[in-house]
Amino acid sequence: LKVFWVCLSLLGVVCGGGILFLMYVAIIGPATYVYPPGQTPQRFLTVAKEVGGLQTGENIEFFYSAGFTDVKKEGFTYVSDQKVVVYDPEGNPPLVSIDYGDIQGLELERADSSLLDSVIAVVLEDSYILIPVASEKDRDIDFFEAIEGRVRDPE
């Protein structure tokens, strides 16, 4: 009987720890979807400034992070009124800023499931960049169209 209570207690600790972790991720981590205009949390905007992406006067239109807990450690991408930014702390270089005038082509490969990310291929003069974007709420289309509209009709 004593072994039963010890096992039950351990199970409770494991489950409780798992629940606390999920709560932490839900509160602190980024959403699983693309943030639409005006809804990117301030803490993510602060990180975008810290890593050298977001400049004064620049407005983020769509923001996405495939990470679960920390956008600075796990990366993010955004579309602003001035450029497209991809931040991958493990990339070389970690921060890539793409002016709309440098984009020569775009392609969206939509995911078959909302559990998977779609991929936007941004074609530049001598390279291309693949940007993962959540398909949840069809915001991958919004993200793509925001880039496409600025490439087609630069302001």
Side-chain angles (χ1 to χ4, degrees), residues 85-151:
V85 169
V86 178
Y87 175 70
D88 178 357
E90 296 178 7
N92 187 16
L95 181 72
V96 177
S97 179
I98 308 163
D99 292 327
Y100 292 111
D102 294 338
I103 298 174
Q104 296 187 355
L106 282 171
E107 186 177 323
L108 172 62
E109 185 173 326
R110 294 213 63 209
D112 294 332
S113 164
S114 63
L115 299 176
L116 302 172
D117 285 345
S118 296
V119 177
I120 297 174
V122 178
V123 180
L124 305 172
E125 183 177 339
D126 56 357
S127 64
Y128 63 92
I129 296 172
L130 300 177
I131 302 173
V133 188
S135 59
E136 192 173 339
K137 301 183 181 185
D138 288 333
R139 294 221 180 109
D140 55 339
I141 296 171
D142 297 335
F143 198 103
F144 176 80
E145 288 177 348
I147 300 170
E148 186 179 50
R150 294 214 183 263
V151 169

Side-chain angles (χ1 to χ4, degrees), residues 2-70:
K2 192 174 193 178
V3 172
F4 171 75
W5 287 114
V6 169
C7 289
L8 190 60
S9 296
L10 287 174
L11 182 62
V13 168
V14 170
C15 289
I19 290 171
L20 288 175
F21 175 75
L22 290 176
M23 288 174 54
Y24 171 81
V25 169
I27 293 169
I28 301 299
T32 57
Y33 54 82
V34 172
Y35 288 98
Q39 293 186 19
T40 304
Q42 184 61 46
R43 65 186 182 277
F44 300 156
L45 299 177
T46 300
V47 170
K49 287 178 186 174
E50 287 174 1
V51 300
L54 186 61
Q55 304 300 312
T56 303
E58 183 178 6
N59 297 303
I60 291 181
E61 295 176 357
F62 295 96
F63 181 97
Y64 177 65
S65 175
F68 287 109
T69 58
D70 187 339

